Amino acid sequence: MAARWAEALLKLQRVDLKIRELEARLALLPKEMTELKNKRDAAVAEVNAAASAAKKIELERKGVESEIEKLNAENKRLQQQSAMVKKNTEYQAMLGTIALNEKKVGDLESRELELMDRFEEARKAYRKIRQDNEAAVNAIRAEFDELVAFAGDLKKEIAQLKEERPADIRGVDGETLARYNRLLAGKDGIAPLVRVENEICGSCHLRVTRQALTNMQKGAVTSCENCMHFIYLEDVE
Ligand SMILES: [Zn+2]
């Protein structure tokens, strides 16, 4: 058995350390949730990018198509006009333009075929990405919901522990309790009250002083002179 004051403080400390651990876990959740949201946004953006890539090709194809129509219409008009021109030079010039337009139409038609192929590919890629990312987004959503539920559980558990936290600590004076609370709030993450084994402090791992050993053996409230943590011995009568 440890000294009475140490036993009482250990009981409190067990609850407090559990609360501290749960609060630390809870504090990590917002970052994890933000990361999930970012992952979801990236997946959605990828689908949108694939869709607009396909759309861009389709728009270009439509542009090529309307250019072909324009050139064909111009040739039709030139052919009608050429039947009525009387000057040979003018007639030759018209035939030249018609031939040139036909050449352009031929090139544009190859371009259109190429764009149609590319559009098919882009559409297939889009469908694949959409399917993959839909699964990913669903998995992310499920994970997010789990985190929300987990946060709720943690909050509930913390609230319950705080409620159960012994309010009245017999055998521990107010000053000791106040120091205990300050150590608990400290950033080192070490328990306020640590055991001494083989005369070594469980917090700073240095040898405790003779005076401290004597105090502990007497069952008095004792602190490590080096790290200021409360220290106790397991085997005090
Ligand atoms: Zn120490």
Side-chain angles (χ1 to χ4, degrees):
M1 279 290 278
R4 184 188 287 265
W5 70 273
E7 283 295 335
L9 216 49
L10 280 172
K11 207 170 142 195
L12 177 69
Q13 181 167 274
R14 271 193 288 276
V15 178
D16 284 339
L17 292 185
K18 184 73 188 155
I19 291 171
R20 192 161 80 176
E21 183 196 317
L22 294 175
E23 281 176 341
R25 184 67 192 93
L26 186 64
L28 292 177
L29 291 183
K31 189 170 170 270
E32 287 170 30
M33 285 173 168
T34 304
E35 277 167 10
L36 282 178
K37 276 187 194 156
N38 291 344
K39 253 164 85 178
R40 182 202 57 195
D41 289 350
V44 170
E46 206 182 13
V47 174
N48 290 341
S52 61
K55 207 178 201 168
K56 204 177 146 205
I57 296 167
E58 178 62 359
L59 275 177
E60 192 183 343
R61 191 197 61 77
K62 279 185 178 155
V64 168
E65 195 180 64
S66 76
E67 225 176 308
I68 291 170
E69 278 168 16
K70 223 169 71 187
L71 288 167
N72 282 338
E74 193 190 345
N75 272 5
K76 204 175 162 189
R77 186 173 50 78
L78 286 170
Q79 263 151 3
Q80 282 166 354
Q81 284 174 357
S82 70
M84 290 179 287
V85 292
K86 297 191 175 72
K87 276 167 103 177
N88 190 41
T89 49
E90 232 176 281
Y91 181 71
Q92 290 304 330
M94 274 178 175
L95 289 189
T97 307
I98 288 169
L100 193 68
N101 283 349
E102 275 169 355
K103 166 88 176 57
K104 278 187 198 164
V105 166
D107 290 347
L108 287 169
E109 276 170 352
S110 322
R111 176 81 185 134
E112 191 179 15
L113 283 175
E114 192 190 306
L115 287 170
M116 281 163 89
D117 285 347
R118 276 183 49 202
F119 177 69
E120 266 318 302
E121 271 169 38
R123 197 161 64 165
K124 249 189 257 171
Y126 160 69
R127 283 181 179 153
K128 170 103 176 63
I129 288 170
R130 193 182 63 179
Q131 201 180 11
D132 290 352
N133 288 17
E134 237 168 39
V137 166
N138 285 340
I140 289 166
R141 190 171 298 144
E143 212 178 319
F144 192 87
D145 289 346
E146 265 172 41
L147 284 187
V148 172
F150 184 43
D153 290 346
L154 284 175
K155 280 179 195 162
K156 219 188 285 174
E157 205 180 338
I158 290 166
Q160 202 176 341
L161 283 171
K162 282 184 174 170
E163 208 172 302
E164 284 168 12
R165 191 181 188 267
D168 176 33
I169 296 135
R170 261 190 291 175
V172 181
D173 63 277
E175 197 193 323
T176 301
L177 202 58
R179 274 200 49 216
Y180 164 87
N181 285 328
R182 278 200 299 278
L183 285 166
L184 184 72
K187 286 196 171 72
D188 62 8
I190 299 168
L193 173 59
V194 296
R195 196 173 151 191
V196 168
E197 270 181 290
N198 302 321
E199 302 184 6
I200 299 294
C201 167
S203 165
C204 66
H205 306 293
L206 292 180
R207 189 169 296 278
V208 297
T209 60
R210 278 281 120 214
Q211 183 63 53
L213 276 174
T214 311
N215 280 345
M216 280 188 289
Q217 274 151 1
K218 277 193 251 168
V221 175
T222 312
S223 296
C224 170
E225 283 173 30
N226 179 54
C227 68
M228 303 314 288
H229 278 252
F230 288 113
I231 48 179
Y232 71 97
L233 291 172
E234 196 63 86
D235 49 3
V236 171
E237 289 304 309

